[in-house]
């Protein structure tokens, strides 16, 4: 079965086919953070859904080229640097660093490139695009010296957001980067300098000023990925005006379809409202970690609901995530112990590898269905229940345990939630395996020596019905 994704542009589930002739390369652009403060976990819901999509594409054999921009100049960053009384770059730097740290904590794969809007090459690319739009009659300099996109000359404007422009009252021009459809109008591409901008400005054919937020993404996406992308993602709040504007600007310049598949995630909510800076109802990742939760627990809590369904954030939800992960951790530990055990290699029923293979397909097929995480997790927990039962009954052979561990490795290349603490270093695993062999050969003295060696390295080992049980001592 092929991968199918919900495309916001058509409002339909569509079969995914990349543009590239090789049929394998996928170009993906994901709107990144505005670095005027630390990202909140609502923002990370969007980045986690994009990570899950990338990981699934990779598990299906695609090579993903992903770009995520860093918005380090806009209305909010300028306001922030002025309030702090420092240059723009000094103000945004710690938030950029914080963002990369947070990506690591949440195990979000790095994009190939994180272009910054203030990079002179990007500013030059933005100016070039605006120049093209002006030359085609799609943009004009207004009496306030700013340059605006002329939406009436781009008939497709409103298609992504499914607006009928004829029914909406145009309010003329809007200089703000973010606005509602009620104030639909020509949006700013280049904002003429005014006193509120202080030292933040660049020279352009239209005088001193700075780019609008929307042109930043059009320029950075096409600079780094080319005129046409396979996938463009963001949260639903990006659909209008941001992504609508990106289509108008880019297609206005290239004359080609900009993006094949538009994917948007629903919001992380708090008591029925979008988690957002402006409402003040947000938690940064750092706030949640300070309450004793780990990055992988936050990751799981934000991933476990389908990306198009709103997700209400609560600390009870965090507890549930913790419980689910404990269940997975305990299962992995049991399988590891059983797989290292020499007893029962013969004569006991071994779970067949075709069975795990079939379940791997089942897991991946759930993801093929527009990233159906609920169905995918149901496959995981059903298998955990069954293998735990087989372990309880002593009917899972070490080889069976090993193949389940291999199965999990594939699953976890997408979920990325395995506990680091559960990882057994290779040298320890070798000693455990040697001890299993010694026990199989009834070489009890050797088995005891290996136990002492493990103890000296900080690992306790206990023999049980299910095989050797390892425990890591403090400091090991
Ligand atoms: P911003 O820094 O506001 O441009 O947002 C960065 C990304 O986070 C965008 O893709 C937004 O759509 C997304 N986003 C913002 N708030 C939320 C939320 N509460 N839930 C999910 N995604 C969000
Ligand atoms: Zn963007």
């Amino acid at each position: 079965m092929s991968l199918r994704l919900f495309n916001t542009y058509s409002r339909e589930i569509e079969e995914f086919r990349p543009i590239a002739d090789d049929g394998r390369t996928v170009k993906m652009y994901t709107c990144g953070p505005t670095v005027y403060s630390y990202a909140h976990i609502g923002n990370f819901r969007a980045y986690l859904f994009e990570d899950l999509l990338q990981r699934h594409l990779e598990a299906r054999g695609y090579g993903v080229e992903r770009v995520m921009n860093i918005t380090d100049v806009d209305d909010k960053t300028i306001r922030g640097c002025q309030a702090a009384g420092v240059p723009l770059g000094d103000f945004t730097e710690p938030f950029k660093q914080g963002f990369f740290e947070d990506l690591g904590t949440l195990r979000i794969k790095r994009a190939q490139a994180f272009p910054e809007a203030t990079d002179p090459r990007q500013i030059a690319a933005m100016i070039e695009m605006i120049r093209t739009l002006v030359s085609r009659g799609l943009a004009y300099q207004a009496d306030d010296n700013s340059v605006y996109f002329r939406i009436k000359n781009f008939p497709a404007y409103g298609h992504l957001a499914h607006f009928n422009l004829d029914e909406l009252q145009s309010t003329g021009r809007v200089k703000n980067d973010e606005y509602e459809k009620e104030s639909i109008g020509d949006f700013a591409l280049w904002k003429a300098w005014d006193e509120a901008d202080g030292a933040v400005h660049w020279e352009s054919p239209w005088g001193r000023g700075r780019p609008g937020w929307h042109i930043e993404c059009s320029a950075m996406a096409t600079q780094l990925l080319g005129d046409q992308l396979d996938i463009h993602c963001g949260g639903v709040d990006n659909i209008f005006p941001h992504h609508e504007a990106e289509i108008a600007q880019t297609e206005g310049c290239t004359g080609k379809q900009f993006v094949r598949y538009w994917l948007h995630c629903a919001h992380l909510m708090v008591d029925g409202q979008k988690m957002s800076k402006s409402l003040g109802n947000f938690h940064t990742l750092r706030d949640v970690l300070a309450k004793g939760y780990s990055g992988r627990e936050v990751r799981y809590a934000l991933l476990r609901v389908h990306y198009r369904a709103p997700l209400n954030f609560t600390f009870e939800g965090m507890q549930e995530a913790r419980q689910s992960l404990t269940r997975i951790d305990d299962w992995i530990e049991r399988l590891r112990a059983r797989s290292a055990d020499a007893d029962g290699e013969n004569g006991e029923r071994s779970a067949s590898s075709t069975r795990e293979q079939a379940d791997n397909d089942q897991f991946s097929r759930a993801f093929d269905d527009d990233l159906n995480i609920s169905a995918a997790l149901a496959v995981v927990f059903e298998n955990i229940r069954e293998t735990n039962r087989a372990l309880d009954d002593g009917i899972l052979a070490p080889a069976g345990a090993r193949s389940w561990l291999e199965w999990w490795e594939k699953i976890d290349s997408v979920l990325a939630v395995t506990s680091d603490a559960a990882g057994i270093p290779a040298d320890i695993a070798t000693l455990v395996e040697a001890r299993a062999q010694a026990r199989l050969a009834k070489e009890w003295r050797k088995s005891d020596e290996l136990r002492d060696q493990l103890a000296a390295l900080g690992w306790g080992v206990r023999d049980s019905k299910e095989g050797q049980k390892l425990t890591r001592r403090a400091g090991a």
Side-chain angles (χ1 to χ4, degrees), residues 31-36 40-47 50 76 178 213 233-238 265-269 274-276:
C31 287
T34 305
V35 282
Y36 70 109
H40 58 69
I41 55 171
N43 302 129
F44 281 111
R45 183 182 195 205
Y47 309 140
E50 292 154 0
K76 290 184 274 198
E178 290 165 270
W213 173 38
C233 307
V236 284
D237 56 331
N238 283 160
C265 75
H267 283 145
L268 185 65
M269 314 289 285
K274 173 192 171 187
M275 180 179 285
S276 71

Side-chain angles (χ1 to χ4, degrees), residues 249-289:
Q249 297 162 151
T250 316
E251 297 190 0
C253 282
T254 65
K256 296 180 202 154
Q257 184 189 35
F258 176 37
V259 171
R260 277 260 177 106
Y261 304 90
W262 284 96
L263 269 71
H264 294 99
C265 75
H267 283 145
L268 185 65
M269 314 289 285
V270 181
D271 300 328
Q273 282 186 299
K274 173 192 171 187
M275 180 179 285
S276 71
K277 288 271 161 59
S278 52
L279 289 173
N281 61 353
F282 65 94
H283 302 280
T284 63
L285 177 61
R286 284 133 206 272
D287 298 334
V288 183
L289 299 182

